[in-house]
Amino acid sequence: MTTDDNDTDIRLCRTFQTAPAAVPKDDSAKYLTSGLEADGFQAPDWLVPDLEDGTAPDMKAEGLENTIEQVPRYEFPGEIWPRVEWSYEDGTYREKGREQIDRLASAIGDEIEGVVVPKVGRLEDVRRAAEAVAEAEREHGYPDGSIGLSIIVETGRARSDLREIAKFGEDSRLTALVFGPVDYTAELGGRDLGDGRPRWDGLLEALSNEASAAGLLSIGGPFDDLFKERAGLTYYNAEEYADQIEHEARLGLDGSWSLYPKQTIQANTIHMPTPDELERDVHKIERFNEAKREGTGAVTIDGQMVDEATFKNFVNTVRTVRAIDERRPDQTGDYYDDELLERALELELSYA
Amino acid sequence: MTTDDNDTDIRLCRTFQTAPAAVPKDDSAKYLTSGLEADGFQAPDWLVPDLEDGTAPDMKAEGLENTIEQVPRYEFPGEIWPRVEWSYEDGTYREKGREQIDRLASAIGDEIEGVVVPKVGRLEDVRRAAEAVAEAEREHGYPDGSIGLSIIVETGRARSDLREIAKFGEDSRLTALVFGPVDYTAELGGRDLGDGRPRWDGLLEALSNEASAAGLLSIGGPFDDLFKERAGLTYYNAEEYADQIEHEARLGLDGSWSLYPKQTIQANTIHMPTPDELERDVHKIERFNEAKREGTGAVTIDGQMVDEATFKNFVNTVRTVRAIDERRPDQTGDYYDDELLERALELELSYA
Amino acid sequence: MTTDDNDTDIRLCRTFQTAPAAVPKDDSAKYLTSGLEADGFQAPDWLVPDLEDGTAPDMKAEGLENTIEQVPRYEFPGEIWPRVEWSYEDGTYREKGREQIDRLASAIGDEIEGVVVPKVGRLEDVRRAAEAVAEAEREHGYPDGSIGLSIIVETGRARSDLREIAKFGEDSRLTALVFGPVDYTAELGGRDLGDGRPRWDGLLEALSNEASAAGLLSIGGPFDDLFKERAGLTYYNAEEYADQIEHEARLGLDGSWSLYPKQTIQANTIHMPTPDELERDVHKIERFNEAKREGTGAVTIDGQMVDEATFKNFVNTVRTVRAIDERRPDQTGDYYDDELLERALELELSYA
């Protein structure tokens, strides 16, 4: 989690939804515009027009033009982060990436929060990607740092250098570390023996830690088993996606990848405190505030020993709700009952 | 585990019990003196008078005086390690910590083994904490290194620098790396979705490894769900605490945090080899010694392929029992039957 | 996994089978020659004549002579990698290791692919081991780099420096990182509370990652509970060994340690794609190739969203089968039905 003293400083990225920037349909921007138009829980916090693996090689130019044309036409409520091409091991992809970044900065530099660069390698390669963004900024007259950079961690090299990459990110335009499990599993030669890819728990824990230590966001990877089939019926795989997102939420990842509007609904929801969680933590804050007024440092509330460290966890819950409420009051209004939401918004959180 | 060639070099910290140094009761030192008086399995290996989160802000001065006054009045059988205030991100807490360290060194420098410093950040901050102890030592005429330092690993930064911090610890007063999961979870934004905080297994494994590589102790974090309620009855949560401690013991942590005398009984016990474990390993050592006399390098004992590497694990079991027996013969006498204990004490362990 | 653009560049080490180089039997080379003679699925990819823990101290000289005498007498189909003595903490073992390496290079330098060095410590110690091999090469006139080095990662120090060691390996004779869980558990003081040693999942994940990032092989550790007993019968523990090997395969380890011919059959088999896996991935490649011809970047196949990243995982499966087929056609012929194997061999894999 990346928080600051002020709720409004919490940067939301509960959902990182990629949409192919061009598909071979009559309306080649169909998925992109459907992402831009989404509302309520279907609207992702970050929409990622995908110029990389989601768009076929011979449609990438069209995908770039779609992005440039469509993004300014909508009042999208979240952030726009196009994903460009890149490769730590192949300079031709880096050249394409540089041109895409340049074109995006030139045409819609003030409509996007940054670009997402995939397949980065060791720290030097991440620096190189950051430099490509800096060049595009200078070239098109944007102030230094105004166009962000997020990277997909999906190579053995990027995982190996994760700590150093995140530390570099402390003082740079680097904004989010996003996991890319599919490429990552291919690089490591991981196997799916019929029960799915490994979860890579060590990596997820490190991603959450290094992002927190450096003030960056951490985002989980895509879940591609979109549909299941049983007894002749094909249906959306809601259970397994939710399991993955809950796992990521437990580990402190700020958000999750979505490939599909239904996934966006689920990830947006899971990365909000549940009503039970909010009720529980609001209650414990109220009780702990009373105890502090009586001069106690640690106190047992509902069987749990609570002190200032425990208190911080409860405060996280409330501050996350406040941050979402400020930007998506439709979602908090929908999800929590009025009385609970009001208690959460009015609660005294400082423990000084 | 931190061992040396000699059993008496095994430093015991099966239990790291914190006790608030002052509470708003008639006898404000109640919990502290109850820790100092504990005996048998209720006596922790390390008692930690807590001047930080366990003691309310306006009682910290009183907690410091309680510590200075009470500690010398008891013949506590283990080590005394007061926890002071600190913060990698707030100099005012570091200033308070420096004053507390200075006062402790001045008043009871020869009664304490060291101080516990919480909320450290990256390596530089740990160096700063070590320097604060060194200053207090010099100021009050103690030999260099006579007052130890243990740190709570509970920030993303400390986890990120754990390897470097432990390497620094090889040649310094650093003694133990203690996990602080509550603050840590708050820093990372981890969630409790109703089934508790994450266990942070990657961190625990790293803590055990880096401590071993640098000759330090590694200690697990507190378990705060002290009590459960069912069908109208509130009762001590013995099961879940024991599960956590067994998990920590498997991973090679030297000891566990205790918040409560019953937890101390359980952690002291779990961090002793069980009678079955001791019987099994004594038996295998006896059998392997026979095999070696016949000139074999590896041999199958009870279905297990045993060689010198396996042997070392059995030796760990026996040496741990010997170290505890030397310092807490009441506990080994209580826990093992006489004949087994005698075999463990008399067994030939060198395999030269 | 360590792959290159060409199937024939995939270095196979599905099985790392150690065999004591000398045992106190009439034929002291019995286990060694039985490894050298093995065929079919019983033949390991790597055979490791063991001069270290598997051979008793007073038989090591005889083990060395057995190795020198027996290895050249067989047309072993895989690679030969003797394990010598070493210790990061004891120079006398390093001296013995140097002498063993020298003698092996002198007598059978062109019959072995390299040597396995156990109990290495931090990076400096690995450099020291690499230098010992370089010296033996020079002394006996072998070209630089012709004798490889693989190390057993089994100390806290080697785990702590794993990233740096692997990076050193990128430009050196270092070939494989092999896990040694028994010594490792002893170093960390891990406990077997009746349900076995910890799996050390964090280490396994790091081993797979760092090996991939540096182009090295990663190999799992031995499983020593060879036999189980129930109702009076002692029988080979096939289930638990297979569970461990499948776990290692999922995480992308290239191979597994074997202590026993039956283990070699199982590890060779598990580190080949299963027939179901091969059928599934061949099918998805065929379907994805069609989709690409229609100009799509991502497509849903059997409920799974497939793009170029997913595709790489399927390609891994096929390329592994091809590499095994090239070197062990008896094994692929045995394991897959002819029609499936043919589809796998003829499939178009490039997605340019």
Side-chain angles (χ1 to χ4, degrees):
Chain A
M1 196 183 207
T2 304
T3 60
D4 260 298
D5 288 346
N6 201 312
D7 305 333
T8 57
D9 293 339
I10 296 182
R11 186 163 193 168
L12 289 185
C13 181
R14 291 170 298 163
T15 36
F16 176 98
Q17 184 185 323
T18 49
V23 287
K25 292 187 187 286
D26 288 346
D27 171 11
S28 77
K30 182 176 191 297
Y31 293 142
L32 175 60
T33 52
S34 123
L36 288 163
E37 278 165 354
D39 59 9
F41 277 96
Q42 281 208 10
D45 287 340
W46 287 24
L47 181 69
V48 180
D50 187 10
L51 299 167
E52 204 221 4
D53 287 351
T55 292
D58 61 1
M59 300 202 73
K60 288 187 197 290
E62 188 168 345
L64 185 56
E65 295 316 309
N66 283 346
T67 304
I68 287 167
E69 191 177 317
Q70 298 300 329
V71 165
R73 294 183 47 208
Y74 294 85
E75 284 291 333
F76 182 73
E79 306 188 8
I80 302 284
W81 283 84
R83 176 164 78 161
V84 301
E85 293 181 273
W86 195 265
S87 166
Y88 75 88
E89 54 185 347
D90 188 336
T92 63
Y93 287 99
R94 289 195 298 275
E95 205 35 60
K96 289 180 193 182
R98 274 192 201 93
E99 285 164 18
Q100 291 159 349
I101 292 169
D102 181 77
R103 179 90 177 93
L104 288 164
S106 146
I108 54 169
D110 43 16
E111 304 270 348
I112 62 177
E113 268 73 18
V115 293
V116 176
V117 173
K119 294 190 183 58
V120 290
R122 293 201 180 271
L123 174 60
E124 312 85 78
D125 189 50
V126 175
R127 286 185 188 280
R128 193 155 56 177
E131 185 47 39
V133 179
E135 259 177 57
E137 264 179 3
R138 284 193 298 267
E139 181 69 20
H140 301 291
Y142 288 96
D144 181 45
S146 55
I147 301 181
L149 168 67
S150 291
I151 57 168
I152 317 277
V153 176
E154 58 186 339
T155 67
R157 283 168 173 82
R159 167 67 186 97
S160 181
D161 278 15
L162 188 59
R163 172 175 176 260
E164 287 67 27
I165 290 170
K167 285 174 82 169
F168 160 71
E170 278 184 281
D171 307 312
S172 80
R173 66 186 69 244
L174 193 57
T175 308
L177 305 174
V178 186
F179 184 33
V182 187
D183 264 293
Y184 185 71
T185 301
E187 273 230 344
L188 267 62
R191 302 261 299 276
D192 173 358
L193 296 175
D195 46 6
R197 277 186 298 273
R199 283 200 308 198
W200 305 114
D201 277 344
L203 184 149
L204 288 176
E205 200 179 314
L207 199 77
S208 182
N209 187 84
E210 296 305 337
S212 285
L216 307 175
L217 294 165
S218 56
I219 313 294
F223 177 80
D224 54 14
D225 279 331
L226 280 180
F227 303 101
K228 294 184 89 162
E229 188 274 339
R230 187 160 178 191
L233 183 72
T234 294
Y235 55 97
Y236 172 66
N237 190 356
E239 286 296 326
E240 289 182 52
Y241 183 68
D243 288 346
Q244 176 181 312
I245 305 320
E246 288 186 355
H247 182 62
E248 293 169 358
R250 282 189 187 90
L251 294 176
L253 272 65
D254 298 274
S256 297
W257 195 313
S258 164
L259 292 168
Y260 193 65
K262 285 181 182 167
Q263 289 192 340
T264 300
I265 295 174
Q266 291 192 294
N268 271 335
T269 304
I270 291 170
H271 286 290
M272 294 174 76
T274 67
D276 282 354
E277 201 181 353
L278 183 59
E279 168 64 44
R280 178 195 69 197
D281 292 356
V282 163
H283 168 73
K284 289 196 175 169
I285 289 173
E286 292 166 346
R287 294 284 306 278
F288 189 57
N289 283 344
E290 286 169 35
K292 283 183 296 183
R293 278 193 285 275
E294 290 159 18
T296 308
V299 63
T300 304
I301 303 175
D302 302 339
Q304 183 185 19
M305 173 87 85
V306 173
D307 65 9
E308 299 206 351
T310 335
F311 186 78
K312 284 182 204 163
N313 287 277
F314 308 149
V315 167
N316 276 345
T317 301
V318 172
R319 294 188 59 233
T320 302
V321 169
R322 291 180 180 179
I324 298 169
D325 185 70
E326 208 177 282
R327 274 157 271 180
R328 301 279 171 101
D330 55 323
Q331 293 185 4
T332 47
D334 236 46
Y335 196 48
Y336 304 114
D337 74 49
D338 294 349
E339 187 264 338
L340 175 60
L341 183 57
E342 195 160 329
R343 274 164 71 206
L345 298 179
E346 316 233 307
L347 205 53
E348 179 55 59
L349 296 186
S350 71
Y351 43 93
Chain B
M1 195 181 208
T2 304
T3 59
D4 260 297
D5 289 346
N6 201 311
D7 306 332
T8 57
D9 293 338
I10 297 181
R11 186 161 193 169
L12 290 184
C13 180
R14 293 170 296 164
T15 35
F16 176 98
Q17 183 186 324
T18 48
V23 288
K25 291 187 187 287
D26 289 347
D27 171 11
S28 76
K30 183 176 190 295
Y31 293 142
L32 174 59
T33 53
S34 123
L36 288 163
E37 279 165 354
D39 59 9
F41 278 97
Q42 282 208 10
D45 287 341
W46 287 25
L47 182 67
V48 180
D50 187 9
L51 300 167
E52 203 222 5
D53 287 351
T55 292
D58 61 2
M59 300 203 72
K60 289 189 197 289
E62 187 168 344
L64 184 56
E65 296 316 308
N66 282 345
T67 303
I68 287 168
E69 191 178 317
Q70 297 300 330
V71 165
R73 292 182 49 208
Y74 293 85
E75 284 290 333
F76 182 72
E79 307 188 7
I80 303 284
W81 284 84
R83 176 164 77 161
V84 300
E85 293 182 272
W86 196 264
S87 165
Y88 74 89
E89 54 185 346
D90 187 336
T92 62
Y93 287 98
R94 289 196 298 275
E95 204 37 57
K96 289 179 194 182
R98 274 192 201 92
E99 286 163 18
Q100 290 159 349
I101 293 169
D102 181 78
R103 179 90 176 92
L104 288 164
S106 146
I108 54 169
D110 43 15
E111 305 269 348
I112 63 176
E113 269 71 18
V115 294
V116 177
V117 173
K119 294 192 185 57
V120 290
R122 294 201 180 270
L123 174 59
E124 312 85 79
D125 189 50
V126 175
R127 286 186 188 279
R128 194 156 54 178
E131 185 47 38
V133 179
E135 259 177 58
E137 264 179 4
R138 283 193 298 268
E139 180 71 20
H140 301 290
Y142 287 96
D144 180 46
S146 56
I147 300 181
L149 168 67
S150 291
I151 57 170
I152 316 277
V153 175
E154 57 187 338
T155 67
R157 283 167 173 82
R159 168 67 187 98
S160 181
D161 278 15
L162 187 60
R163 172 175 176 260
E164 287 67 28
I165 290 170
K167 285 174 82 170
F168 161 71
E170 279 186 279
D171 306 312
S172 80
R173 66 187 70 245
L174 193 58
T175 306
L177 306 174
V178 185
F179 183 34
V182 186
D183 264 293
Y184 185 71
T185 302
E187 273 231 343
L188 267 63
R191 302 262 299 276
D192 173 357
L193 297 174
D195 46 8
R197 276 187 297 273
R199 284 200 308 198
W200 305 114
D201 277 344
L203 184 150
L204 288 175
E205 200 180 313
L207 199 77
S208 182
N209 187 86
E210 297 304 337
S212 284
L216 308 176
L217 294 165
S218 56
I219 313 295
F223 176 81
D224 55 15
D225 279 330
L226 281 179
F227 302 102
K228 293 184 90 162
E229 188 273 340
R230 186 159 178 192
L233 183 72
T234 295
Y235 56 97
Y236 172 66
N237 190 356
E239 285 297 325
E240 289 182 52
Y241 182 68
D243 288 346
Q244 176 180 312
I245 305 320
E246 288 186 355
H247 181 61
E248 293 170 356
R250 282 189 187 90
L251 294 176
L253 271 65
D254 298 274
S256 296
W257 195 312
S258 163
L259 292 167
Y260 192 67
K262 285 183 181 166
Q263 289 192 339
T264 300
I265 295 174
Q266 291 192 293
N268 272 334
T269 304
I270 291 170
H271 286 290
M272 294 174 76
T274 67
D276 283 354
E277 199 180 355
L278 182 59
E279 169 63 44
R280 178 194 71 200
D281 291 356
V282 164
H283 169 72
K284 289 195 176 169
I285 290 173
E286 291 166 348
R287 294 283 306 276
F288 189 57
N289 284 342
E290 286 168 34
K292 284 183 294 183
R293 277 192 285 275
E294 290 159 18
T296 308
V299 63
T300 305
I301 302 175
D302 303 339
Q304 183 185 21
M305 173 86 85
V306 172
D307 65 8
E308 300 206 351
T310 336
F311 185 79
K312 284 182 205 164
N313 287 277
F314 308 149
V315 168
N316 276 345
T317 302
V318 172
R319 294 187 59 231
T320 302
V321 168
R322 291 181 181 180
I324 298 169
D325 185 70
E326 208 177 281
R327 275 157 271 181
R328 300 280 171 101
D330 55 323
Q331 294 185 4
T332 47
D334 236 48
Y335 196 48
Y336 305 113
D337 75 47
D338 294 349
E339 187 266 337
L340 175 59
L341 182 58
E342 196 161 326
R343 275 164 70 206
L345 297 179
E346 315 232 309
L347 205 52
E348 179 55 58
L349 296 187
S350 71
Y351 44 94
Chain C
M1 195 181 207
T2 304
T3 59
D4 260 298
D5 289 345
N6 201 312
D7 305 333
T8 58
D9 292 340
I10 296 182
R11 186 162 194 169
L12 290 185
C13 180
R14 291 170 298 164
T15 37
F16 176 97
Q17 184 185 324
T18 48
V23 288
K25 292 188 186 285
D26 289 345
D27 172 11
S28 77
K30 183 176 190 296
Y31 293 142
L32 175 59
T33 53
S34 124
L36 288 163
E37 279 165 354
D39 59 9
F41 277 97
Q42 281 208 12
D45 287 340
W46 287 25
L47 181 68
V48 180
D50 187 10
L51 300 167
E52 205 222 5
D53 287 351
T55 292
D58 62 1
M59 301 203 73
K60 289 188 196 290
E62 188 168 343
L64 185 56
E65 295 316 308
N66 282 346
T67 303
I68 287 168
E69 191 177 316
Q70 297 300 329
V71 165
R73 294 183 47 208
Y74 294 85
E75 284 291 333
F76 182 73
E79 307 188 9
I80 303 284
W81 284 83
R83 176 163 78 162
V84 300
E85 293 181 272
W86 195 265
S87 166
Y88 76 88
E89 55 184 346
D90 187 337
T92 63
Y93 287 99
R94 289 195 298 274
E95 204 36 59
K96 289 180 195 183
R98 274 192 201 93
E99 286 163 19
Q100 291 159 348
I101 292 169
D102 181 78
R103 179 91 177 92
L104 288 164
S106 147
I108 54 169
D110 43 16
E111 305 268 349
I112 62 176
E113 269 72 19
V115 294
V116 177
V117 173
K119 293 190 184 61
V120 291
R122 294 201 179 270
L123 174 60
E124 313 85 79
D125 189 50
V126 175
R127 286 186 188 280
R128 192 156 57 177
E131 185 47 40
V133 179
E135 259 177 57
E137 264 179 2
R138 284 193 299 267
E139 180 70 20
H140 302 290
Y142 287 96
D144 180 47
S146 55
I147 301 181
L149 168 67
S150 291
I151 57 169
I152 317 277
V153 175
E154 57 188 339
T155 66
R157 283 168 173 83
R159 168 68 187 96
S160 180
D161 278 14
L162 189 60
R163 172 174 177 260
E164 288 67 28
I165 290 170
K167 285 174 83 169
F168 160 70
E170 278 185 280
D171 307 311
S172 80
R173 66 187 69 245
L174 193 57
T175 307
L177 306 174
V178 186
F179 183 33
V182 186
D183 263 293
Y184 185 72
T185 302
E187 272 230 344
L188 267 63
R191 302 261 299 276
D192 173 358
L193 297 175
D195 47 6
R197 276 186 298 273
R199 284 200 308 199
W200 305 114
D201 277 343
L203 184 149
L204 288 175
E205 199 179 314
L207 200 76
S208 182
N209 187 84
E210 297 303 338
S212 284
L216 308 176
L217 294 165
S218 56
I219 313 295
F223 176 80
D224 55 14
D225 280 330
L226 281 179
F227 302 102
K228 293 184 90 162
E229 189 274 339
R230 188 160 177 190
L233 182 72
T234 295
Y235 56 97
Y236 172 67
N237 190 355
E239 285 297 325
E240 289 183 50
Y241 183 67
D243 287 347
Q244 177 181 311
I245 306 319
E246 288 186 355
H247 181 62
E248 293 170 357
R250 282 190 187 89
L251 294 176
L253 271 66
D254 298 273
S256 296
W257 195 312
S258 162
L259 292 168
Y260 192 65
K262 286 182 181 166
Q263 289 191 340
T264 300
I265 295 174
Q266 291 192 293
N268 272 334
T269 304
I270 290 170
H271 286 290
M272 294 174 75
T274 67
D276 283 355
E277 200 181 354
L278 183 59
E279 169 64 44
R280 178 195 69 200
D281 291 356
V282 164
H283 168 73
K284 288 195 175 169
I285 289 173
E286 291 166 347
R287 294 284 306 277
F288 189 58
N289 283 342
E290 286 168 35
K292 282 183 298 182
R293 277 192 285 275
E294 290 159 18
T296 309
V299 63
T300 305
I301 303 175
D302 302 338
Q304 184 186 20
M305 173 86 86
V306 173
D307 65 8
E308 300 205 352
T310 335
F311 185 78
K312 285 182 203 163
N313 287 278
F314 308 149
V315 168
N316 276 344
T317 301
V318 171
R319 294 188 57 231
T320 302
V321 168
R322 290 181 182 181
I324 298 169
D325 185 69
E326 208 177 280
R327 275 157 272 181
R328 300 282 171 100
D330 55 323
Q331 293 185 5
T332 46
D334 237 46
Y335 196 48
Y336 305 114
D337 75 49
D338 294 349
E339 187 264 338
L340 174 60
L341 183 58
E342 196 160 326
R343 275 164 70 207
L345 297 179
E346 316 232 306
L347 205 52
E348 178 56 59
L349 296 185
S350 72
Y351 43 93

